[in-house]
């Protein structure tokens, strides 16, 4: 038997660590969603879809810019010493994933902006002549367009991975000590993005393709979850205790019902019927996938903070 | 280069909390927060119970995850004694260091920056002991250079059984408890 009593009761630290509220899960979710959108948008560019479609390819980078800014704002809200925010950009700390992330986020803005130049939507045409000239220049050199597609895909992967690496670098939090976390967040980001584009696109081909892609991502996510859980369950006592927070502990109902059940299995089943033309595509499956992705970030961030070596 | 550390004799400690009060006073620690605290650790089965009383604080780890994860360089290893410190003007209050510390040694000051034990570096640089060490009525706390084989801390470690807290977390803590 061991009984430990301590006289410390610091706010947010005791009795259980809870330093990150809703802001960080929202930031990680939006970061993952933007990562997925960049990968899909880059893929569309490489597939020359900007020549055919009227909607998603043109607007995806704009939507990504808005979502990314929303995520950055959530991150900003979480900071306790806000007026020193700029300190992030006066240094590069190579051992700090958060520093890597801040710089990656900064590079993503111009990458999304050049992506918007590939096809300026009608209402914006002629508003800023420089942008129109740059757009024309891109079309004179298709190799530039290809490079923008590749750049968006590469940065999307980096951003999606970063959202997981950020957490898994915290050795003190056993639930996050998994080399699968980056893959889990990347796949979940891709699946959320596929669901999001599926939801908003007006193009039948894109809808069908993204529903199929989302099914693949959701299936992959189940395998990654399997690896994540098995890895922790076969590790030390603290890691087993940590993952049991999700499996049969206080987070189990939310984890099994909202993340695995309603977030993955149900939409996967609905979309399998839809792509096999047994039922019509509706907004239900993609909305469930998006909510499941958001809940996943909440569960992992909250339960991870509670997991401890003590 | 010196490498400061502490050696605390749990056989002598009576848990009087003088060190806790001294730290709060010396460092103006905000109300409701503690940079150091007392742990009462009871182990065994009745009637063969054993109690260890420990004065705990930041371990000024040799492999400090709080420094590695800090995105602004606010958390750093000080030139003098390798003490782990926070530069309040660089801290953005992201709380990464708080999450990274397995000991819960850090907290967020109500003004927004991360705070923790400094080994009273302002006193140490003037040749004094940290406040907690200087007030302990049982003289159970010792402060000094772990790299100097003739220092009091090194000789105590060479002659007495000791342990650190959660060595399995891999941070190489520099506070040693004599048993
Ligand atoms: S005890 Fe915690 S705050 Fe102190 S140096 Fe070690 S990891 Fe950092
Ligand atoms: S809270 Fe401050 S000291 Fe801690 S990691 Fe963030 S910037 Fe660094």
């Amino acid at each position: 038997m061991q009984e430990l009593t301590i006289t410390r009761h610091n706010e947010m630290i005791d009795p259980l660590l809870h330093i990150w509220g809703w802001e960080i899960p929202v930031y990680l979710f939006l970061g993952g969603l933007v990562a997925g959108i960049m990968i899909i948008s880059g893929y569309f560019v490489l597939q020359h879809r900007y020549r055919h479609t009227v909607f998603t390819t043109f607007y995806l980078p704009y939507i990504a810019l808005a979502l990314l800014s929303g995520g950055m704002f959530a991150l900003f809200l979480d900071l306790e010493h806000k007026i020193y925010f700029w300190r992030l950009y006066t240094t590069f700390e190579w051992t700090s994933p958060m520093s890597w992330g801040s710089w990656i986020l900064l590079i993503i803005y111009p990458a999304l902006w050049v992506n918007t130049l590939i096809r300026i939507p009608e209402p914006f045409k002629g508003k800023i002549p420089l942008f129109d000239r740059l757009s024309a220049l891109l079309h004179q050199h298709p190799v530039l367009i290809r490079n923008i597609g590749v750049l968006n895909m590469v940065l999307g992967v980096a951003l999606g991975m970063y959202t997981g690496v950020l957490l898994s670098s915290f050795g003190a939090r056993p639930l996050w000590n998994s080399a699968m976390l980056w893959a889990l967040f990347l796949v979940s980001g891709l699946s959320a993005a596929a669901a999001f584009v599926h939801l908003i696109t007006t193009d039948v081909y894109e809808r069908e393709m993204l529903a199929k892609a989302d099914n693949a991502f959701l299936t992959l996510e189940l395998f990654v979850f399997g690896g994540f859980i098995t890895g922790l369950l076969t590790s030390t006592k603290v890691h087993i205790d940590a993952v049991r927070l999700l499996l049969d502990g206080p987070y189990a109902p939310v984890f099994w019902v909202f993340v695995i059940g309603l977030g993955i299995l149900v939409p996967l089943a609905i979309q399998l019927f839809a792509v096999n033309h047994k039922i019509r595509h509706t907004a239900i499956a993609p909305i469930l996938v998006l909510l499941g992705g958001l809940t996943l970030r909440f569960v992992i961030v909250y339960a991870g903070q509670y997991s401890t070596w003590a | 280069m010196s490498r400061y550390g502490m050696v605390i004799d749990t056989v002598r400690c009576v848990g009087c909390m003088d060190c806790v009060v001294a730290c709060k006073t010396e460092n103006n620690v905000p109300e409701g927060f503690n940079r150091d605290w007392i742990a009462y650790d009871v182990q065994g089965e009745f009637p063969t119970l054993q109690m260890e009383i420990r004065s705990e604080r930041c371990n000024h780890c040799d492999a400090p995850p709080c420094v590695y994860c800090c995105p602004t360089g606010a958390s750093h290893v000080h030139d003098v004694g390798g003490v782990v410190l926070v530069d309040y003007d660089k801290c953005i209050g992201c709380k990464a260091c708080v999450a990274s510390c397995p000991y819960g040694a850090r907290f967020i000051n109500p003004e927004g920056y991360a705070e923790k034990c400094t080994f009273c570096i302002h006193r140490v640089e003037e040749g004094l002991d940290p406040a907690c060490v200087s007030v302990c009525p049982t003289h159970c706390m010792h402060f000094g250079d772990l790299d100097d084989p003739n220092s009091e801390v090194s000789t105590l470690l060479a002659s007495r059984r000791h342990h650190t807290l959660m060595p399995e977390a891999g941070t190489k803590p520099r506070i040693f408890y004599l048993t």
Side-chain angles (χ1 to χ4, degrees), chain B residues 57-61 64-67 84 100-103 105-106 116 171:
Chain B
R57 63 199 39 64
C58 163
N59 287 276
H60 296 271
C61 306
C66 54
V67 172
V84 175
S100 77
C101 173
Y103 306 97
R106 292 180 171 232
K116 65 169 198 70
T171 64

Side-chain angles (χ1 to χ4, degrees), chain B:
Chain B
M1 269 283 281
S2 50
R3 197 166 64 93
Y4 290 146
M6 256 187 207
V7 173
I8 300 175
D9 193 342
T10 61
V11 181
R12 284 180 170 223
C13 178
V14 292
C16 68
M17 303 233 283
D18 269 12
C19 50
V20 177
V21 176
C23 173
K24 289 210 66 137
T25 319
E26 175 71 27
N27 296 299
N28 261 328
V29 180
E31 203 182 323
F33 293 96
N34 283 104
R35 286 189 188 182
D36 61 349
W37 58 93
I38 301 292
Y40 304 89
D41 191 348
V42 181
Q43 298 203 28
E45 294 298 329
F46 182 81
T48 49
L49 292 169
Q50 261 199 333
M51 179 157 79
E52 183 173 286
I53 305 177
R54 295 188 297 262
S55 171
E56 296 184 358
R57 63 199 39 64
C58 163
N59 287 276
H60 296 271
C61 306
D62 269 337
C66 54
V67 172
Y68 302 155
C69 74
C70 178
T72 64
S75 281
H76 63 282
V77 178
H78 191 48
D79 303 337
V80 180
V83 176
V84 175
L85 296 177
V86 182
D87 184 339
Y88 302 147
D89 289 342
K90 283 190 183 169
C91 175
I92 58 172
C94 68
K95 297 168 278 189
C97 56
V98 181
S100 77
C101 173
Y103 306 97
R106 292 180 171 232
F107 61 88
I108 297 295
N109 179 289
E111 283 184 25
Y113 51 79
E115 184 181 328
K116 65 169 198 70
C117 161
T118 61
F119 267 170
C120 282
I121 192 72
H122 58 288
R123 288 172 58 94
V124 172
E125 284 179 340
E126 285 179 8
L128 300 168
D129 268 336
C132 52
V133 175
S134 70
V135 300
C136 178
T138 64
H139 298 292
C140 76
M141 302 168 77
H142 309 270
F143 177 81
D145 182 3
L146 295 166
D147 276 354
D148 173 0
N150 298 316
S151 68
E152 189 188 20
V153 283
S154 298
T155 47
L156 278 168
L157 290 180
S159 59
R160 295 273 303 271
R161 266 195 326 166
H162 56 267
H163 69 92
T164 52
L165 298 181
M166 285 187 237
E168 64 278 15
T171 64
K172 300 198 177 141
R174 286 209 305 252
I175 296 197
F176 299 86
Y177 294 93
L178 301 178
T179 55

